[in-house]
């Protein structure tokens, strides 16, 4: 890719990512199911990428990058809608955390993480007022691509297509306290992963 497509963390800009995604999609067999997962980095604090020539300056801070990244996502989604496979393809866009607040940018009260499911089959409605956590995404994603699971759960997650309450709904405020408890198993796995990754550091 061109120099202008270089992004942060050794990756590429969002616009460069979506161009590669288009190429990858057409490498799939169009008459068979496919799954493509993308991870964008342009708006990641504090090393956000703002080198692409398509980005304009409006505020002179991170808000400009949000605008530029939003435009790139919009253009990619509009491209997807024009493809023949769109009529039976579900697109899921999720965020991993609210935006961090920077000097000069007014904080939004009770910020929410943006998640959207586009082009779901009609028989799979999601209640937009349902309280959920990222753990509920696993069974929800599986069901959205036609994988049937019983009892419509995966680990601590509950499918958002199910009428059954999620753990965050059934446990209320205690849910956050419970999932933040220390786990000996989790800690040992984290230590093992750190030890293994250190072998590759120069």
């Amino acid at each position: 890719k061109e120099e202008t497509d270089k992004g942060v963390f050794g990756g590429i800009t969002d616009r460069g990512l979506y161009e590669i995604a288009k190429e990858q999609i057409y490498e799939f067999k169009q008459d068979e199911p496919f799954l493509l997962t993308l991870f964008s980095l342009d708006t990641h604090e504090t090393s956000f990428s703002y080198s692409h020539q398509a980005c304009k300056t409006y505020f002179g801070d991170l808000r400009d990058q949000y605008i530029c990244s939003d435009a790139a996502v919009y253009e990619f989604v509009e491209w997807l809608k024009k493809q023949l496979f769109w009529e039976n393809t579900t697109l899921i866009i999720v965020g991993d955390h609210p935006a961090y607040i920077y000097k000069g940018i007014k904080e939004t009260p009770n910020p929410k993480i943006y998640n959207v499911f586009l082009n779901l089959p009609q028989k799979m409605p999601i209640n937009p007022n349902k309280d959920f956590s990222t753990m509920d995404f696993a069974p929800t994603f599986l069901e959205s691509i036609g994988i049937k699971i019983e009892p419509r759960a995966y680990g601590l997650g509950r499918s958002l297509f199910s009428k059954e309450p999620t753990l965050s709904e059934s446990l209320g405020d205690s849910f956050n306290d419970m999932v933040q408890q220390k786990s000996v198993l989790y800690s040992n796995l984290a230590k093992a992963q750190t030890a293994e990754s250190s072998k590759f550091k120069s």
Side-chain angles (χ1 to χ4, degrees), residues 107-180:
E107 183 174 1
T108 301
N110 303 315
K112 301 294 184 181
I113 300 174
Y114 182 78
N115 306 295
V116 63
F117 291 73
L118 299 176
N119 213 33
L120 282 171
Q122 292 183 357
K123 62 181 179 179
M124 301 180 73
I126 284 184
N127 180 357
N129 298 317
K130 196 173 184 68
D131 187 22
F132 64 92
S133 72
T134 54
M135 287 180 278
D136 299 311
F137 280 152
T140 304
F141 291 176
L142 291 173
E143 287 199 346
S144 74
I145 58 176
I147 298 177
K148 298 184 182 299
I149 53 176
E150 292 296 340
R152 307 192 74 177
Y154 187 99
L156 297 178
R158 303 293 182 265
S159 172
L160 299 180
F161 298 117
S162 170
K163 294 182 180 180
E164 294 298 318
T166 62
L167 290 184
S168 57
E169 287 179 317
S170 59
L171 297 176
D173 293 338
S174 63
F175 173 72
N176 287 331
D177 295 331
M178 295 176 73
V179 296
Q180 292 182 45

Side-chain angles (χ1 to χ4, degrees), residues 9-176:
F9 307 114
I12 58 175
T13 64
D14 289 356
R15 290 180 184 276
L17 174 69
Y18 300 139
E19 289 304 313
I20 293 175
K22 293 176 183 178
E23 297 172 5
Q24 178 61 60
I25 287 173
Y26 277 105
E27 289 184 11
F28 295 133
K29 293 182 178 180
Q30 297 299 295
D31 58 345
E32 294 183 4
F34 66 85
L35 170 66
L36 180 64
T37 303
L38 306 176
F39 182 59
S40 64
L41 290 171
D42 276 6
T43 56
H44 195 285
E45 61 82 34
T46 55
S47 305
F48 63 90
S49 168
Y50 194 64
S51 61
H52 200 282
Q53 60 184 2
C55 297
K56 297 180 180 179
T57 299
Y58 299 97
F59 298 98
D61 55 38
L62 186 56
R63 288 174 291 183
D64 291 337
Q65 187 56 35
Y66 290 155
I67 294 172
C68 191
S69 184
D70 283 349
V73 173
Y74 173 80
E75 291 167 9
F76 182 57
V77 172
E78 288 302 299
W79 177 86
L80 289 171
K81 289 180 178 180
K82 296 175 182 177
Q83 309 311 306
L84 295 177
F85 55 76
W86 175 253
E87 63 183 43
N88 65 346
T89 298
T90 294
L91 175 64
I92 304 172
I93 303 174
V94 299
D96 57 348
H97 56 72
Y100 292 105
I101 303 303
Y102 290 89
K103 185 178 180 180
I105 301 178
K106 186 177 180 181
E107 183 174 1
T108 301
N110 303 315
K112 301 294 184 181
I113 300 174
Y114 182 78
N115 306 295
V116 63
F117 291 73
L118 299 176
N119 213 33
L120 282 171
Q122 292 183 357
K123 62 181 179 179
M124 301 180 73
I126 284 184
N127 180 357
N129 298 317
K130 196 173 184 68
D131 187 22
F132 64 92
S133 72
T134 54
M135 287 180 278
D136 299 311
F137 280 152
T140 304
F141 291 176
L142 291 173
E143 287 199 346
S144 74
I145 58 176
I147 298 177
K148 298 184 182 299
I149 53 176
E150 292 296 340
R152 307 192 74 177
Y154 187 99
L156 297 178
R158 303 293 182 265
S159 172
L160 299 180
F161 298 117
S162 170
K163 294 182 180 180
E164 294 298 318
T166 62
L167 290 184
S168 57
E169 287 179 317
S170 59
L171 297 176
D173 293 338
S174 63
F175 173 72
N176 287 331

